[in-house]
Every structure is written in structure tokens, then in C-alpha cells.
Amino acid sequence: MRLRLIRSTWLAEGVVQLEFADPAGDELPGWEPGAHLTLHLPNGLAREYSLCGDPADRTRYAVAVQHDAASRGGSAYVHERLRVGEVVEVDGPKNNFALTEAPAYMLIAGGIGVTPVKAMAEALHARGADWRLFYCGRSRTSMAFADLLESLGDTIVHADDDCGGTPDLGKVLADLPGGALVYVCGPEPLLAAVEAELDDPARLRVERFRAPERPAAGEPADEPFDVVCGGGRRFTVQPGASVLDTLRRGGLDLPSSCEEGICGTCETRVLAGEPDHRDFLLTDAERAEGGSMMLCVSRSRTPELVLDL
Ligand code: FES
């Protein structure tokens, strides 16, 4: 869909909130906390941003974007070039980080990772759920929604500059209520620290900004395999090439965004064969089921994969 940027507001140092609406004033598709939009920016880049507004307000979508010093072109474009009134191609909302039923919730946000977590905290607060939030960042002035989240209830805001350094996540995760799910969104070191501290990985739900580094050594060399699409069209995926690129070179028009296995845009149903999953999205249960795969990173354990394309 094409949406107009109707408002741009500073939320914190280096963080701008963008609000989009349908140019004709039509109602927008609904969404649940944890969902994101993919913005196709006029400079050709596609970027995912979590929705952080009110899901009940179907007249607008809000996302928050931090100016990333190491920007690969997305946040820099948003901050320096995108102007109110412009119309942008948008995909979504899509949700890879949905709240599932649990007796209690521990939410952990690092920096701009607060955006999906803010919508979750508001929803859990509204439904009277048992939840707590730990929100960490470099300095309070750069942490969007800090005051709002503190006002909701059981929220700890930890700014490294004010608190004398990085947080003790062992303490944060101690004494979690039985059955509590842990939702975390933030930079990779925070996700790794939470993973290391948590005794039961099945309790963890993660939303990543970027794919973590893959170990370079010790991986077996990739083998070629065939992909079969609708109408029996067959393509050979060579080592070093992705399924996505191979199919595009073969003339298929396929959507993608992150091309790192973290956004789900290229998820495709698998009709036969066993994928070699290399994404950072699917759960162990979803992988075992083998019902879908991310074409941008995953490969095949069988000589042939049949895809629903
Ligand atoms: S394009 Fe994002 S998971 Fe494939």
C-alpha cells in the first residue's frame, strides 16, 4: 500500500516518530503489538520498523526511527531526507514478535528496541496482565517513551550514563514468576546477554535489528540443490547463491527486505523436501514442521525442494 507521512515528531535525542495515513483517508489494516511495517524508501532501500502507536487507531500508523551512526542508508534517509507530505510504499503490518498467552511477562528493551515493547506494555497494562519491563539505554535523553513507560507501572529505566555502566541482567531476570515469557528487543550484545542468563531458552522471544555474526570456520561447505516451483520450473541453487537470488535471476518477482533472515518478508511455503533453516525467526517447532522457509538465507538438506510459488 502507499501511505502519506502526515507527521514527524522528535521523541528523544536522535529519535523521530513518523506517522503515516492513507492518502484517501481509508481505514488501515489492523495490527497487534510486536508488528512491524516495511518502508520502501525512495532511495531504494527497504527497512522494517516496529509499530509503536495505538492499535485501536485505524487512521494512522506510528513508527520511531533512531538515527544510527552506522546507518547503512535507512535511518539516515529517514532523518535527513524524508519529509511530511511524501508518499511511501509500505508493506505490512507483519508480526514476528507477537504476544502469546502466558501467566506473566518480562519485557526487555535496549535503546530503540523499545518500540515494539512500548506497544506490548500498553496492551498488557490495559488488560491487567502480570508484566514488568526493564528498559536500558545509553543516556536517558536518548531513550524514547521512558517517562510514559515508567508511568504505566512496573518499569525500570536504566540509563548507563546515570547508573554507572551496563545493567546486571542476572538481577533483572532473577525471580521471574513461573511460566513467565521473556520478550527482548535491542542490540545484539543485549540479546546475547539475556540468552546467556536465561535458564530456559523456550521462554525467550526475540526481535532482532540485524542478523548476528555467523561462525565463519567449521561450517560444512554448501552443496548445490534444486528448487522446483509451480508449473514444474526447476532452478539449481549453487553454493554461495541464495534461493532468492537464484529464483530472481530465473525471472521470478519475489519480495524481500532484510535479506538476513530476520524480517520474514521472503517466507515461502515448502511443499516437499527438507529446508536447512538459517534464519533467526522460526521457532524450533516451526523448523521441525518444515512448513516454510526464508528464501534469502535458508538452503536445503535434500537434493530438491518444492516451493509454493
Ligand atoms: S528478506 Fe527478511 S527474512 Fe528474507
Side-chain angles (χ1 to χ4, degrees):
M1 67 190 142
R2 291 176 65 75
L3 299 181
R4 188 180 304 284
L5 177 60
I6 56 166
R7 188 197 279 198
S8 167
T9 325
W10 286 104
L11 289 181
E13 192 183 299
V15 182
V16 70
Q17 176 169 280
L18 309 178
E19 292 171 60
F20 293 93
D22 184 278
D26 287 348
E27 194 170 80
L28 299 170
W31 60 281
E32 299 284 335
H36 69 263
L37 297 178
T38 301
L39 302 190
H40 296 272
L41 298 169
N43 64 355
L45 294 174
R47 290 288 182 265
E48 293 80 35
Y49 296 110
S50 296
L51 286 158
C52 60
D54 176 6
D57 182 355
R58 303 283 291 275
T59 67
R60 65 189 61 207
Y61 289 142
V63 299
V65 181
Q66 182 172 46
H67 199 324
D68 182 356
S71 174
R72 294 171 293 173
S75 72
Y77 187 92
V78 165
H79 276 258
E80 294 161 15
R81 306 275 303 277
L82 197 63
R83 294 286 171 258
V84 169
E86 277 190 68
V87 174
V88 176
E89 186 69 34
V90 176
D91 288 334
K94 183 173 172 62
N95 202 340
N96 302 320
F97 193 46
L99 283 170
T100 51
E101 218 33 63
Y105 301 87
M106 173 83 229
L107 311 177
I108 300 177
I112 197 63
V114 73
T115 49
V117 169
K118 179 253 187 189
M120 289 175 168
E122 288 179 318
L124 293 171
H125 178 70
R127 69 164 98 136
D130 179 354
W131 67 279
R132 58 185 84 165
L133 165 60
F134 183 77
Y135 175 20
C136 52
R138 184 173 39 84
S139 63
R140 178 125 187 162
T141 52
S142 65
M143 295 171 71
F145 306 122
D147 293 347
L148 170 83
L149 289 167
E150 278 181 332
S151 75
L152 287 185
D154 200 354
T155 296
I156 296 174
V157 173
H158 175 107
D160 293 353
D161 290 356
D162 306 331
C163 302
T166 53
D168 178 349
L169 289 168
K171 240 177 168 171
V172 173
L173 292 166
D175 305 324
L176 286 183
L181 291 179
V182 178
Y183 283 78
V184 55
C185 182
E188 202 53 35
L190 175 69
L191 307 187
V194 172
E195 276 167 350
E197 287 292 342
L198 203 61
D199 47 5
D200 178 6
R203 305 171 87 174
L204 189 60
R205 305 287 183 273
V206 170
E207 176 103 313
R208 299 191 127 85
F209 299 157
R210 287 186 187 163
E213 296 287 328
R214 294 177 194 271
E219 296 242 316
D222 288 334
E223 297 286 338
F225 58 95
D226 278 4
V227 169
V228 180
C229 305
R233 286 168 300 167
R234 179 177 291 270
F235 304 87
T236 300
V237 182
Q238 300 292 350
S242 69
V243 176
L244 183 69
D245 287 341
T246 303
L247 296 183
R248 280 179 171 164
R249 275 200 295 273
L252 275 72
D253 183 17
L254 297 168
S256 73
S257 180
C258 71
E259 302 196 4
E260 295 185 313
I262 59 170
C263 76
T265 304
C266 65
E267 185 170 5
T268 300
R269 272 201 337 130
V270 177
L271 303 176
E274 189 188 344
D276 175 3
H277 294 290
R278 300 187 183 183
D279 65 274
F280 302 94
L281 277 172
L282 295 176
T283 63
D284 288 347
E286 288 166 337
R287 285 168 185 233
E289 197 184 310
S292 69
M293 66 183 286
M294 306 305 154
L295 301 186
C296 62
V297 288
S298 296
R299 300 185 64 82
S300 181
R301 292 186 192 286
T302 45
E304 182 180 288
L305 283 177
V306 183
L307 300 179
D308 186 15
L309 285 172

